[in-house]
Amino acid sequence: ARQARFLGAMSLLSLDRLGPAFEALQQLQAEAPSAVVANAMGVVQLRREVLGGERLRDRVRHRERS
């Protein structure tokens, strides 16, 4: 059941539904702390970052194209 909830959170993350993904990960982390869950939470936080009006992910993609 825990693995299914984690995979559900990863699906939300891939759909850029960052709020619900983070909430699901927070619940998992509260139940049983895990490095994997903490890492995924960090990914969500990085994707939430806004740098100069652009999302961090967009900046990385721009750099990759250059």
Side-chain angles (χ1 to χ4, degrees):
R2 181 175 170 86
Q3 184 178 7
R5 290 178 24 223
F6 177 78
L7 293 174
M10 293 298 92
S11 292
L12 291 169
L13 179 59
S14 71
L15 294 170
D16 283 335
R17 297 190 57 209
L18 303 180
F22 194 77
E23 290 172 12
L25 292 167
Q26 278 183 314
Q27 289 177 345
L28 290 169
Q29 191 71 346
E31 292 170 8
S34 161
V36 173
V37 173
N39 183 64
M41 291 172 73
V43 170
V44 172
Q45 290 174 326
L46 284 172
R47 288 193 181 182
R48 284 180 171 170
E49 289 292 316
V50 177
L51 301 172
E54 291 180 306
R55 295 182 69 174
L56 178 62
R57 182 176 71 181
D58 296 335
R59 283 200 173 215
V60 170
R61 284 183 181 161
H62 177 72
R63 283 188 212 154
E64 290 173 351
R65 292 180 190 153
S66 301

